[in-house]
Amino acid sequence: MKPIAAVNDFVVKFANVNGSGSASANELFAKAILRMGVPVSPRNIFPSNIQGLPTWYEVRVSEEGWVGRRGGVDLLVAMNPQTWDSDLKELETGGYLFYDNSKPLPRSKFRDDIIVIGIPLTELCNATYDDPRQRQLFKNIIYIGALSILLEIDEDAIAQLIAEQYKGKEKLLTPNLNALKMGRDYAREHLMHPLGIKVRRSNNVGDKIFVDGNSAAALGCVYGGATVCAWYPITPSSSLAEAFQRYCGKYRVDPDTGENRYAIVQAEDEIAAVGVVVGAGWNGARAFTATSGPGVSLMTEFLGLAYFAEIPITIINVQRGGPSTGMPTRTQQADLLACAYASHGDTKHILLFPEDPYECFEHAAAALDLADRLQTPVFVMTDLDIGMNQRLSAPFKWDASRTYDRGKVMTHDMLDAGKDFGRYLDVDGDGIPFRTYPGTHPTKGGYFTRGTTKNARATYSEAGPDYLYNMQRLLQKFDSAKRLVPQPILRKAAKPARCGVIYYGSTSPAMAEAIGELDHLGLYVDTLRVQAFPFSDAVTDFIADHEEVFVVEQNRDGQLRTLIVNELGIDPARVVPVLHYDGTPITARFITHEIAEIMHAMHVDTLKPGKVA
């Protein structure tokens, strides 16, 4: 058995117990490697309880900059006996098992094809600390210290991070540094080091920033002009509203008067939250709510009102595992259909699909523009993997000369000049009418906002032609949106490809790596990353240009595929689902394996008698 050997290219997985304080220590490990100029991509996989259940923290170290999950584990830090057996199965042949050997384990608990590294963490802590909580917390720092020797991580990088974390709290700083030293000293004296996998200082991080998608989206809302946020706490979106509040406290306070130029309401439930947002949007404010799947379920009646009364609002849906309560702290892309057709009757909503924190920033700001321009709800469909995990990202950019697109707003001067105003009157064929803000003019431009049927001038009407007019106009508006939303991104294979792949959102990082693996196998595919719904004509053209098209997504029912078939009239046999939905982020290995198996089967089929190869 040959030990794995790699520099700046491996996966470490920490298996801990929730509530043990391990998350901050494991994050310290990831950030120390980042400080050495080596790209990392950490993922915190945690349960939806406060304490006691298994939790995992996976760190992808990749000098090439891969930020998706690879699949497989090269170094397992096994601190949870409850998950020992299942965790051990993920360890690659030749990989390294790091564990607390204070108590002996039977030989049957190990594998013959791995390298075992034991350190008596419990003994060290019991001999040093009297307080049970200190024993638990400092155990985490001790193993980080030991790993820093085994992997050759700079001690100064970790010490600096600890110093930053406990700045002004010297009573906590010194004990943490002592625990770090204890782990380093033990590993240096008692363990073979370094391992075959190690970290070498590099310069591949550049000017990238380390940020989570929720913080990025919140900042995008600030830059995009949002002044109202109403929300109800729900995992995994709560930190988005909290980040918006922090940013507003910094950027939306009048420097002369100290007055807040924003309103943030933590409502009694999701229904009230979206109601506040609809009211603010009707009044001319840029308003949004952040929620997840169960919250969207509760919001649907208000969403139908905003759609039919044509009120601009933005909903940022940080998706999680469903249905019902589902898996609150796991990731999925399973709300597409619920959001695309939210509410009863014939409704269609605009969806944006960011792939990373950078696009969370961009798409959040764009959603506010689109909502105003199209006078309709707009969803930003992020998920837990993007929203709650820190990731290397290109620095955010904002054009200082950029102006907000408020769409068709009838002003006081336009009304005074005799401009004809009909609230739901299509004046130029794009399906989008003019609106007025409340109080625009004392005698002109007023209308009754109603969720009932009406004619083009907002007068109540149940006449069939009036209803048909508005419903067809809403379809025309949705069609106009195809040219305004972010467009799909096409990548052509190095060689002519008979197959294509459509994907979106958080699948992108793993997909990017899988494309290279498929190329290496001689399986060439063109790819199209969809950024929004409604779909542009490029999606139809892409499918028409290929014999088969794989649709890769993270849900059970192939929801993007369903939208494609339903909206574009595509033969379902032309689009092949590749589905991952166990709640963990999709891996490059999964995508490669699934597509390769299907393509190999297709190739064999073409060589059967009567077939033309």
Side-chain angles (χ1 to χ4, degrees), residues 489-556:
I489 296 175
L490 173 67
R491 172 202 168 272
K492 298 290 288 184
K495 295 183 180 180
R498 58 180 285 191
C499 294
V501 181
I502 293 175
Y503 64 101
Y504 63 103
S506 62
T507 301
S508 299
M511 189 71 233
E513 189 173 0
I515 290 168
E517 292 299 315
L518 290 168
D519 284 352
H520 182 71
L521 295 172
L523 301 172
Y524 297 97
V525 294
D526 298 328
T527 64
L528 189 73
R529 178 164 73 87
V530 175
Q531 293 200 86
F533 172 75
F535 306 121
S536 76
D537 294 339
V539 178
T540 305
D541 295 340
F542 182 81
I543 295 171
D545 288 343
H546 297 90
E547 293 180 30
E548 285 87 15
V549 173
F550 302 98
V551 182
V552 182
E553 49 187 320
Q554 299 178 70
N555 57 67
R556 184 196 68 181

